[in-house]
Amino acid sequence: MSWLRALKETARSGLTLERQRLEPLVALRGALGLALVVAGALSLFGSVVAVSAAFGAFQAAIATYQRSWRPRPVLALASGASLAVSTFISYLTAFHLVFFVAMLALWTFLAGLAWALGPTVGIIATSNVAIMLVTVTLPTSVAAAAGHAAVIAAGGVVQAALVVLLPVRRWGAQRDALADALAAEADYARRLRHDPTAPFDPAPLMQARRAAAVTPRQARRRPAELHGMRGVAERIRPVLAALADPAVGVPAEGPERDRVHELLTAAASVLTEAARAVRHNKPLRLPPSAVAALKTPDTAAVLTGPARRAARRLAALLDDVTETARGAGTTEGPHRDRPPLIRLVPGSLRILREELHRDSPVLRHACRVSAVTAVGYIVGTALPLGHGYWAPMTCVMVMRPDFSQTYARSVARFGGTLIGVGAATAVVQGAGPGTYLSGGLAVLCAFCVFLVLSTGYIASSVFISAYVVLLLGMGGEDWNQTVRERVLLTLAGGVLAMIAYAVYPAWETPRLRHRLADWLHANGDYAAAVVDHYADPAGRAGGDIRQALLDARDARIAWRESVKRAEHEPVRNRGLSRDAAERAGEAISQLGRGALLMEAHLPDSDAAPVPAAADLAEALRRDTERAAAAVRERRVPQWDAVHEALDHWDRESAPDTVLHTGAGLVAEALDDLTEALEPEDEGVRGGAGPRTRDR
């Protein structure tokens, strides 16, 4: 993609508003906390201290909106405390430009490196640096700085207390995650009626799994419908695939296929209603037609073999879903543990150390954002526009570890600032509102920020810019700065951010092959773990299968996100064209499909072992490991060991129909991957010997 087209696409993305479900009660609670903090600080300490307290309460409220499964009060407290510490430490160096710029660069570097710990930590740390640039200008002495830090932390305490005292949709994030997983499976069941081999995006299931991790105290208070249903939903997905897929299910046409359509329709209806009941905490109401379709006695007469087994398992699993949705679950028993923050410190430090290498995109982002913020502060201070922190504040707010977000946010920030600053400055300079009216208008803007935060960055930028202007106006600051000056400084910060990414980029496109190799290796391990269970049904392969499946899902999600980030980058394909990436991804998906169908019909522990399956499992592990290395090195993968293992199979050594069919699908998918990655010049090969295709 050319630079011109990339700029056009990212600009369009930055100016796009998304239709999202608004949560006015949550926004109102955040605005109420801000209003209490502003009113209390105004009455006790005056307008300047009130500005610091307001920024603390504002940032704490923003933290509670992040996609994190931590309790919201914890996020508010952590955000308020970190902003207080940042402001106080930075003020100690504010007396000298060189010292402050060095401190700013170090603090921004650490904030950029925090993205390695996840987007929630990265956003909170980055926002703290941006707000620190404003709050550090308010105190006049070390003692005053300590007081400002205290009221900033108090703002976080107030927001945390309101979350506890005024709960809105208690367990709402966990309910949404589980409901999204159930709704995704309902949509999958509907798509299987028209496409029996339709793909499935595991991201909602993985989100629900992360949301299910709770502390022991939370486990005792968790609603019954949130306990146990996720595990059942996980087991439904392979059963749906096995029921619909003609390879191990029923013919593409005929009465058996008609019955499968009825069962899939019924399953979709049940899962949709279960998702609605979980999301809105309402009674479950099942359509009578869906219940009748699942309970009809002639299903056993119409369906035979693997399809009959899948239908029985589906009905039993849906019964478990409905019972749990009606409150028949239990809050006792094992649960996924969520450790407290203090226990995460050693692991977090280890993750940060692992990012300290030249090819790390997070390290590149940290270096880039720290350098640009320092330069932006110097430029803003040198320009005769006053209040030069608008430039570095823009740099920090718009820069992200990937290209598309940085450029899209730069455009959105400029457009939002133009509108928000223009309107707020017109109010301040035209109407001349007093301290309390300015504070009230700032609280109103904050409410709008909280309300539209999930709809797009340009919408929130409008109200954030207006909020900053009105709040500083309340404190007696920034009265004389014009719209032109503020917009010019914002434009300077955005341009610096865009130039920095072009000069010192962290392109995702060259890493596509590595992501593809990781996905291939993970899917190969998953397929091998499933085949291993056929070789030793009485063994302990179940846990290995589960972990391998989770690793494969994580690798698939990482691949999809990598492709999405690389889509708008103005760089060449570096050896993996878009068409090759699409075909290779489809082949690896089919590899997972073959393993999934075999997993749906795993033999019981007392079933007879299949010794030939052990050789295939070992061949899969060996070949996929070699193939992953070949993909990274731009060679074509080969599957000699897998084909050799399958060449010795016959109906006597591998009598299980599902195993035989699934292994054939796996081998076909591997050959499709070789074909997808094969260059036009066939002189480049990743393995010895010719490739066998007619299996």
Side-chain angles (χ1 to χ4, degrees):
M1 180 181 291
S2 66
W3 268 98
L4 183 60
R5 184 180 175 188
L7 292 174
K8 180 180 177 181
E9 292 295 329
T10 53
R12 181 183 301 170
S13 174
L15 299 176
T16 300
L17 293 177
E18 299 180 6
R19 296 186 62 181
Q20 297 285 345
R21 186 181 63 186
L22 303 181
E23 296 184 333
L25 291 179
V26 178
L28 187 60
R29 183 181 63 195
L32 174 61
L34 180 61
L36 291 175
V37 169
V38 170
L42 275 175
S43 61
L44 295 175
F45 307 109
S47 59
V48 177
V49 175
V51 172
S52 290
F55 275 119
F58 177 81
Q59 177 58 20
I62 291 291
T64 63
Y65 277 84
Q66 303 311 312
R67 189 67 182 266
S68 172
W69 310 117
R70 289 280 168 192
R72 303 299 163 185
V74 173
L75 296 177
L77 291 173
S79 178
S82 59
L83 179 58
V85 172
S86 301
T87 298
F88 180 73
I89 293 179
S90 298
Y91 180 80
L92 297 180
T93 62
F95 64 91
H96 196 284
L97 178 63
V98 175
F99 290 162
F100 180 74
V101 170
M103 181 64 192
L104 177 62
L106 174 62
W107 220 244
T108 310
F109 176 83
L110 295 176
L113 206 60
W115 282 90
L117 304 178
T120 299
V121 179
I123 289 173
I124 291 176
T126 298
S127 301
N128 282 351
V129 173
I131 294 179
M132 177 200 75
L133 288 165
V134 181
T135 56
V136 76
T137 65
L138 300 175
T140 56
S141 66
V142 174
H148 280 254
V151 297
I152 287 173
V157 172
V158 170
Q159 292 288 13
L162 283 180
V163 173
V164 175
L165 297 175
L166 301 175
V168 179
R169 289 195 71 224
R170 197 185 295 270
W171 295 92
Q174 287 81 1
R175 287 185 179 278
D176 286 342
L178 179 56
D180 289 344
L182 294 172
E185 290 197 324
D187 177 69
Y188 180 55
R190 293 188 184 95
R191 288 187 290 113
L192 286 175
R193 295 178 303 177
H194 309 288
D195 180 6
T197 62
F200 178 77
D201 184 3
L205 289 176
M206 297 301 287
Q207 285 282 22
R209 183 174 184 272
R210 298 186 186 100
V214 292
T215 64
R217 181 175 180 273
Q218 287 178 315
R220 291 191 297 268
R221 299 170 178 266
R222 183 168 51 172
E225 59 269 26
L226 297 183
H227 181 84
M229 192 185 300
R230 182 190 60 83
V232 179
E234 292 269 4
R235 296 194 294 273
I236 289 177
R237 185 269 195 266
V239 175
L240 289 173
L243 181 65
D245 202 309
V248 296
V250 299
E253 295 181 354
E256 293 175 283
R257 177 57 57 177
D258 293 339
R259 177 51 53 86
V260 167
H261 283 177
E262 292 176 4
L263 294 175
L264 292 173
T265 301
S269 299
V270 171
L271 291 169
T272 298
E273 289 303 313
R276 182 194 63 81
V278 169
R279 191 186 305 277
H280 302 291
N281 192 19
K282 292 183 177 179
L284 177 63
R285 298 174 181 174
L286 296 180
S289 58
V291 176
L294 292 170
K295 300 297 184 182
T296 180
D298 63 339
T299 296
V302 176
L303 301 180
T304 59
R308 181 192 295 176
R309 293 199 304 268
R312 288 175 175 172
R313 290 194 62 194
L314 178 62
L317 291 171
L318 291 175
D319 281 342
D320 291 341
V321 168
T322 56
E323 289 178 7
T324 307
R326 285 170 173 155
T330 176
T331 56
E332 302 296 332
H335 61 272
R336 295 194 66 240
D337 179 55
R338 184 176 299 282
L341 291 178
I342 191 65
R343 282 172 48 191
L344 298 179
V345 172
S348 299
L349 293 176
R350 183 174 61 255
I351 292 173
L352 295 179
R353 284 197 302 269
E354 291 173 353
E355 292 293 335
L356 298 179
H357 60 89
R358 185 177 60 181
D359 296 329
S360 168
V362 175
L363 178 62
R364 281 178 167 257
H365 169 69
C367 295
R368 191 167 52 237
V369 70
S370 61
V372 170
T373 303
V375 172
Y377 187 84
I378 295 173
V379 170
T381 303
L383 291 175
L385 300 177
H387 300 287
Y389 50 73
W390 282 85
M393 184 170 64
T394 299
C395 295
V396 175
M397 292 296 290
V398 304
M399 295 189 75
R400 291 293 184 265
D402 65 279
F403 165 81
S404 58
Q405 281 199 60
T406 297
Y407 277 61
R409 289 172 67 89
S410 296
V411 174
R413 180 75 180 183
F414 177 73
T417 300
L418 184 63
I419 299 172
V421 166
T425 304
V427 170
V428 169
Q429 294 185 344
T435 299
Y436 286 93
L437 182 56
S438 294
L441 292 174
V443 170
L444 178 61
C445 287
F447 169 78
C448 295
V449 172
F450 303 149
L451 188 64
V452 304
L453 199 60
S454 61
T455 62
Y457 189 59
I458 184 171
S460 58
S461 293
V462 170
F463 295 109
I464 288 175
S465 301
Y467 172 77
V468 173
V469 171
L470 290 167
L471 204 61
L472 294 176
M474 182 190 74
E477 301 283 338
D478 226 25
W479 284 92
N480 298 321
Q481 199 173 28
T482 64
V483 174
R484 179 181 63 84
E485 293 165 341
R486 290 164 177 159
V487 170
L488 283 176
L489 287 170
T490 300
L491 178 61
V495 170
L496 281 174
M498 297 170 79
I499 292 175
Y501 205 104
V503 172
Y504 189 57
W507 302 124
E508 190 68 28
T509 301
R511 287 192 290 271
L512 284 177
R513 279 187 170 270
H514 295 276
R515 299 292 190 191
L516 187 68
D518 292 341
W519 187 21
L520 169 61
H521 196 181
N523 260 16
D525 285 345
Y526 168 50
V530 172
V531 175
D532 249 344
H533 188 84
Y534 284 84
D536 184 15
R540 297 184 176 181
D544 296 337
I545 292 174
R546 176 64 177 162
Q547 187 56 51
L549 174 61
L550 294 176
D551 293 342
R553 287 178 177 175
D554 282 333
R556 181 186 187 277
I557 292 172
W559 161 254
R560 294 291 297 273
E561 291 177 348
S562 184
V563 170
K564 185 178 180 180
R565 286 194 295 268
E567 184 178 0
H568 299 303
E569 290 183 346
V571 293
R572 295 181 179 178
N573 60 56
R574 305 290 180 90
L576 188 64
S577 66
R578 181 175 299 182
D579 179 64
E582 183 177 347
R583 290 188 291 119
E586 175 63 24
I588 299 179
S589 292
Q590 293 305 311
L591 167 61
R593 171 195 161 212
L596 184 73
L597 295 178
M598 290 186 286
E599 184 194 359
H601 296 284
L602 287 177
D604 296 330
S605 58
D606 57 351
V610 181
D615 295 335
L616 177 60
E618 181 59 30
L620 280 169
R621 290 191 178 93
R622 186 165 59 250
D623 270 5
T624 50
E625 183 177 359
R626 294 173 179 172
V631 171
R632 292 188 180 94
E633 297 167 4
R634 302 188 184 184
R635 295 183 287 114
V636 181
Q638 297 295 305
W639 315 103
D640 298 335
V642 172
H643 289 313
E644 183 179 351
L646 288 176
D647 285 341
H648 294 88
W649 277 33
D650 52 37
R651 288 298 177 183
E652 287 72 27
S653 61
D656 189 286
T657 303
V658 175
L659 175 62
H660 209 277
T661 304
L665 292 173
V666 166
E668 184 179 352
L670 296 177
D671 287 338
D672 287 342
L673 177 63
T674 297
E675 186 176 292
L677 297 177
E678 195 169 39
E680 294 183 2
D681 180 7
E682 302 231 355
V684 181
R685 287 296 177 95
R691 177 169 60 89
T692 303
R693 181 74 180 113
D694 53 341
R695 289 208 62 84

